[in-house]
Amino acid sequence: IWHHLLRVAKCIGQKLPEFAYEYTHLQPILYALGVGMSTKDPDNLKFLFEGSEEFCCLPTFAVIPAQASMIDGSISSIPGFNFDLTRALHGEQYLELYKPLPTSGKLTSQTTIADILDKGSGAIILLDVHTYHGKDLLCYNQFSVFVVGAGGFGGKRSSEKAKVTVEAPKRPPDAVITDATTIDQAALYRLNGDWNPLHIEPGFASLGGFQKPILHGLCTLGFAARHVLKHFADNNVTKFKAVKIRFAKPVFPGQTLQTEMWKEGNRIHIQTKVKETGNFAIVGAYVDLVSSSMQPSAKEPKATELQSDLIFQEMGRRIKEVGNELVKKINAVFQWNINKDNKPTVQWTIDLKNGSGEIYQGPARGKADTIFTVSDEDFMNLILGKINPQKVKNNI
C-alpha cells in the first residue's frame, strides 16, 4: 500500500504538456448540432450560421478544447501514473467561463492532475484544465474520472479541490424541457473529437457491459446546459457563468431527455431523466448565470450605476474562496437594501448560513437574520472607512 500511495502522491500536481487547439467556425457549428441545436428554432441560427450577425459559440463548447488536451494520451507519460484508462468512466464535470469563447482561433490548455482519491472500488482522478486565448484565461474545466478497480491504495476519500454537486430543491421544478436525441446523436457528437468506439461500435459497447453504444456524457451535458440557456437566459451566452454535472446513468441515442430546472437566485438547479425509462442521467447538477447587476441593461440602469455593486461582486468572489469557513463561523443571512437619491434601488443577500455560502442580487429567499437599509453613498463611505459605523447605524 505504501508503494502505491507514494506513487499516487508523486502524480498529484503534475502538469501535462501544454496543448494547442486551433479551430474555424466549423467546430462550434458541429458542436451545436451535436448537442441537438436545430434550424427549426429561429433562435438557434446564431449558433449554426457563420454569417449571422450574432454568430457565437455555445458556452459548453469550452469542454471540447479542454478534453482535446487530454485525449492525446500524454497523461500516461506522467511518471508513476499507471492507471488503466480503458477502465475509466466520466463521473462528473465542472466548467466555468470567464468570457465568451471566440468563434475561431487558437486556444492553449494546461492540464494538471489536481488530486487522486481512493474510493475503494476505484480511484477518482481530478483533472483541472485552464484554457487560454493568448494570455487571456477563457475558462476552467474540472474532469472527474472514475477508474474502476484502481482503489484500495490507502489514499484519501475526498478533496477540497473537488467542485461539488448540489441536490435539487424538494419542490416541483420551475420549468421542464423535453428534447429527443436522434439515433445518430452519438455518431454526430463524436466528430467533436471524442473517438471512443464505446459510442458507436456495438461490439466494443458490449465489452463495456452495455447492450448497445451509449451517448457521450458531455453530449447530455450540452443538451441540459442549452435548455437552461434557452429558458432562463434567452440564449444570451454572456449570461452563462458555470455548469456542474454528475453523470448518473447512460443514455442511448434516440432516447428522450427531460431536463427539470429550479431557479434559486442566479443558480438554476437541474436534473435530467430519460423519459422512456424514468432513469436519471444527470443529478446534483446546476448552471450558474451571471447576476443581473453585472449585465448592462436598458431596463435596469439604476442597478449598474451603483458603486456598491462592485463591492458585493467582490464579496461574492471572496465567498467562493472561503465560504465554507465563513458559514461555520457566522451562520446567518444578511439582506442589504441599497437606496439611491432616497429611493429603494437594489437588494443584495449575503447567505452565510446555507451550503458553502453565496451572495446574490435580490431579497433573501428564506428569512434574513438581519436587514440593513442604507444609501449607496453611505455604504461606500463605510467600506472605505470614511465614516463611523455608528453614523450609518443611526441611518439604518
Side-chain angles (χ1 to χ4, degrees):
I1 284 180
W2 280 109
H3 171 70
H4 288 307
L5 204 51
L6 286 169
R7 173 176 59 77
V8 166
K10 284 180 183 175
C11 295
I12 297 170
Q14 292 287 329
K15 294 184 187 304
L16 275 61
E18 196 173 82
F19 184 85
Y21 180 86
E22 201 158 355
Y23 63 104
T24 67
H25 62 269
L26 174 66
Q27 279 75 23
I29 292 173
L30 198 54
Y31 175 80
L33 290 168
V35 297
M37 286 237 146
S38 166
T39 53
K40 284 187 291 188
D41 184 344
D43 206 15
N44 287 359
L45 197 61
K46 66 181 181 182
F47 300 106
L48 299 173
F49 176 44
E50 72 285 358
S52 166
E53 282 184 15
E54 298 180 308
F55 183 52
C56 56
C57 287
L58 270 172
T60 49
F61 176 68
V63 302
I64 300 300
Q67 188 181 35
S69 72
M70 301 183 303
I71 284 177
D72 67 350
S74 55
I75 191 168
S76 304
S77 66
I78 286 178
F81 189 95
N82 61 356
F83 292 97
D84 181 3
L85 293 180
T86 62
R87 306 193 71 194
L89 302 169
H90 195 168
E92 298 181 14
Q93 182 73 21
Y94 178 79
L95 160 67
E96 185 164 351
L97 271 179
Y98 304 111
K99 51 185 68 178
L101 294 160
T103 52
S104 63
K106 183 179 180 181
L107 308 181
T108 52
S109 293
Q110 180 69 70
T111 300
T112 306
I113 298 181
D115 222 336
I116 299 175
L117 309 178
D118 187 348
K119 292 293 187 179
S121 62
I124 287 180
I125 302 167
L126 293 179
L127 295 153
D128 282 350
V129 187
H130 292 86
T131 301
Y132 299 82
H133 184 224
K135 291 184 178 178
D136 287 341
L137 177 60
L138 282 187
C139 61
Y140 159 67
N141 276 272
Q142 184 177 82
F143 293 77
S144 178
V145 179
F146 185 80
V147 185
V148 179
F153 54 84
K156 58 185 180 178
R157 291 188 61 84
S158 62
S159 170
E160 68 285 351
K161 294 174 186 172
K163 298 291 181 181
V164 296
T165 53
V166 182
E167 277 193 36
K170 301 282 192 264
R171 58 182 170 84
D174 299 320
V176 178
I177 289 183
T178 302
D179 208 348
T181 65
T182 72
I183 201 77
D184 293 317
Q185 203 73 57
L188 179 58
Y189 185 85
R190 69 191 294 271
L191 303 182
N192 290 294
D194 187 338
W195 305 106
N196 188 338
L198 172 67
H199 304 293
I200 197 162
E201 211 281 304
F204 200 90
S206 65
L207 285 175
F210 300 104
Q211 64 197 62
K212 54 187 173 181
I214 62 172
L215 193 60
H216 307 69
L218 287 177
C219 180
T220 309
L221 175 149
F223 268 79
R226 71 173 177 77
H227 290 160
V228 173
L229 191 70
K230 168 80 173 174
H231 191 84
F232 290 101
D234 298 321
N235 273 341
N236 182 346
V237 298
T238 66
K239 291 186 177 179
F240 184 95
K241 186 178 180 188
V243 58
K244 170 67 185 183
I245 272 178
R246 174 182 291 157
F247 303 111
K249 289 199 172 174
V251 176
F252 295 110
Q255 288 183 321
T256 306
L257 298 173
Q258 185 168 301
T259 304
E260 301 171 345
M261 300 171 271
W262 293 259
K263 189 176 191 310
E264 298 269 325
N266 297 317
R267 175 162 290 179
I268 313 298
H269 296 271
I270 49 177
Q271 58 186 24
T272 300
K273 66 170 71 164
V274 174
K275 192 177 179 186
E276 289 81 357
T277 63
N279 290 335
F280 282 102
I282 285 172
V283 296
Y286 62 82
V287 169
D288 283 341
L289 301 174
V290 175
S291 72
S292 55
S293 68
M294 296 171 75
Q295 286 289 320
S297 163
K299 293 177 186 172
E300 299 173 298
K302 290 178 183 173
T304 56
E305 286 169 10
L306 297 181
Q307 302 172 70
S308 54
D309 283 346
L310 296 171
I311 302 298
F312 284 110
Q313 287 159 21
E314 182 57 34
M315 284 185 192
R317 282 188 278 275
R318 293 288 298 144
I319 286 170
K320 272 200 146 186
E321 293 169 14
V322 293
N324 284 320
E325 297 164 34
L326 291 173
V327 168
K328 284 178 196 168
K329 287 180 188 171
I330 297 171
N331 192 34
V333 176
F334 306 96
Q335 179 180 311
W336 287 84
N337 302 330
I338 306 294
N339 295 339
K340 189 171 177 68
D341 300 326
N342 294 319
K343 292 177 187 171
T345 306
V346 70
Q347 293 173 305
W348 286 92
T349 299
I350 304 173
D351 183 346
L352 296 176
K353 182 181 275 189
N354 301 297
S356 57
E358 68 171 320
I359 184 166
Y360 53 88
Q361 197 180 81
R365 294 195 278 265
K367 184 177 181 297
D369 294 289
T370 309
I371 297 176
F372 302 97
T373 301
V374 66
S375 76
D376 185 49
E377 186 182 4
D378 278 353
F379 180 83
M380 288 304 293
N381 286 333
L382 175 64
I383 295 295
L384 296 169
K386 289 183 179 177
I387 57 173
N388 189 309
Q390 191 63 40
K391 176 181 182 297
V392 176
K393 183 182 175 189
N394 294 337
N395 291 340
I396 290 175

